[in-house]
Amino acid sequence: MPSGVTMDEVSDEVFKALADANRRRLLDRLDQRGGQSLRELGEGLAMSRQAVSKHLAVLEAARLVDTVRHGREKLHYLNPVPIRELADHWIGRYDHGRPAALSHPQQTPEGRTMSKPAYEYVIYIHSTPEEIYRALTDPELIADYMGDTGPRSDWQVGSPVEWKMDPNGEFRDYGQRVLTAEPGRRLSYTWHRLQPEHREMVGITSDEEFAEAAKERSRVTFTLEPAEEPAAGTKLTIVQDEFDSPDSVMLASVSVGWTLILSEVKTLLEGGRRFDPASSPPA
């Protein structure tokens, strides 16, 4: 959320943007394929180029669309974070137990099929794969977007990934281990089980229910690759899988948490500057 702006003000802009069927249609097109020009977005629509441009301006003002200059063209990308914030604030608290996750088989970035429920999210960041990998692993950068919490590791395969859950607490080893560490390409590690300190946060009061939920273990994988359009920078895909049930409380938690964290990573790395693909080192 922009600094100094209230949730009500943000919600007003997003609701206004989503109220028009033509704008929702444009968002659907960007959801299907990011990096489209004004001309491409207007193809087949019963709207003038000027009308499409005005609708896109409303979507940009609501932060639902990000743009990148590529030569003379402006390319457009969907930014789902404001919709997620709106859903969490106005809908999520009235609709418990429905995680935003994939509950049917999907393909991971490695090409394997996920037969269990999983969380998957894609975000485009105007930065290099190397910079983004560093943001995911460097303690100083992690502190910039996560505050005095988050992971700590030497990020070698087999090493523990310790977490500091409370700003006033200590780093603890919850059993997480690095599975894959390929700088600028891929990072994967096992995820911790629910801990007693999470019980109040996830709202489980039954001892039996919590004991069952705490058995579940998952894994998280970040994959970095050049965006389909070089001017868009890097495509970051996160998959957290191996959950036992679509009703998993951990699945519900990470579905919200990772989306907001990666939005902060994007803000940190872009820093209001324009990404120059020519400055990106070869993969």
Side-chain angles (χ1 to χ4, degrees), residues 235-253:
K235 177 182 179 181
L236 168 59
T237 303
I238 178 175
V239 173
Q240 188 152 346
D241 59 0
E242 291 300 307
F243 294 100
D244 294 331
S245 166
D247 297 322
S248 163
V249 292
M250 181 65 82
L251 175 54
S253 177

Side-chain angles (χ1 to χ4, degrees), residues 17-282:
L18 295 176
D20 186 275
N22 287 317
R23 290 196 282 271
R24 294 196 299 271
R25 192 171 295 114
L26 291 172
L27 291 177
D28 285 340
R29 289 193 166 198
L30 290 177
D31 185 40
Q32 294 170 4
R33 180 170 67 86
Q36 295 191 59
S37 65
L38 174 63
R39 176 185 54 79
E40 291 173 312
L41 283 168
E43 288 178 354
L45 296 180
M47 286 189 288
S48 67
R49 184 185 181 93
Q50 185 179 16
V52 174
S53 180
K54 288 183 177 180
H55 283 309
L56 288 172
V58 174
L59 293 171
E60 287 183 53
R63 299 190 304 128
L64 292 168
V65 168
D66 290 332
T67 62
V68 177
R69 281 286 179 184
H70 183 49
R72 293 186 176 182
E73 286 190 317
K74 182 192 285 187
L75 304 181
H76 301 80
Y77 293 86
L78 173 68
N79 177 21
V81 173
I83 297 177
R84 176 62 64 111
E85 292 174 344
L86 183 150
D88 291 340
H89 185 78
W90 291 109
I91 300 171
R93 56 182 171 176
Y94 304 116
D95 186 17
H96 301 293
R98 185 178 297 175
L102 305 171
S103 58
H104 49 84
Q106 295 286 327
Q107 288 282 317
T108 69
E110 294 86 356
R112 53 191 168 81
T113 299
M114 298 183 292
S115 58
K116 292 185 174 183
Y119 163 77
E120 182 174 0
Y121 181 67
V122 176
I123 189 170
Y124 292 85
I125 301 177
H126 306 162
S127 185
T128 66
E130 290 77 15
E131 286 178 323
I132 298 171
Y133 188 92
R134 180 167 169 255
L136 296 173
T137 56
D138 184 276
E140 292 185 4
L141 290 178
I142 291 171
D144 282 340
Y145 61 86
M146 292 189 71
D148 198 15
T149 61
R152 181 180 70 178
S153 177
D154 64 12
W155 304 109
Q156 301 300 310
V157 174
S159 293
V161 180
E162 299 177 326
W163 276 79
K164 189 176 182 181
M165 302 285 186
D166 186 333
N168 299 316
E170 302 292 331
F171 281 96
R172 290 180 55 188
D173 183 353
Y174 292 99
Q176 299 183 198
R177 294 294 180 268
V178 178
L179 300 173
T180 305
E182 302 175 21
R185 295 180 183 274
R186 183 174 290 113
L187 176 68
S188 179
Y189 49 91
T190 57
W191 194 248
H192 61 81
R193 293 184 172 92
L194 282 175
Q195 304 296 316
E197 56 261 42
H198 300 143
R199 183 164 176 167
E200 182 176 352
M201 180 181 70
V202 299
I204 298 179
T205 57
S206 164
D207 291 343
E208 183 178 348
E209 184 180 351
F210 183 80
E212 186 63 29
K215 294 178 181 178
E216 184 175 60
R217 178 178 286 282
S218 59
R219 63 188 167 193
V220 60
T221 302
F222 303 89
T223 302
L224 299 158
E225 57 189 327
E228 293 83 352
E229 291 288 343
T234 300
K235 177 182 179 181
L236 168 59
T237 303
I238 178 175
V239 173
Q240 188 152 346
D241 59 0
E242 291 300 307
F243 294 100
D244 294 331
S245 166
D247 297 322
S248 163
V249 292
M250 181 65 82
L251 175 54
S253 177
V254 301
S255 296
V256 175
W258 280 128
T259 303
L260 298 179
I261 288 171
L262 294 183
S263 176
E264 294 295 331
V265 172
K266 177 180 173 73
T267 299
L268 172 69
L269 292 181
E270 292 182 352
R273 59 187 171 85
R274 178 172 175 266
F275 174 66
D276 180 5
S279 68
S280 174

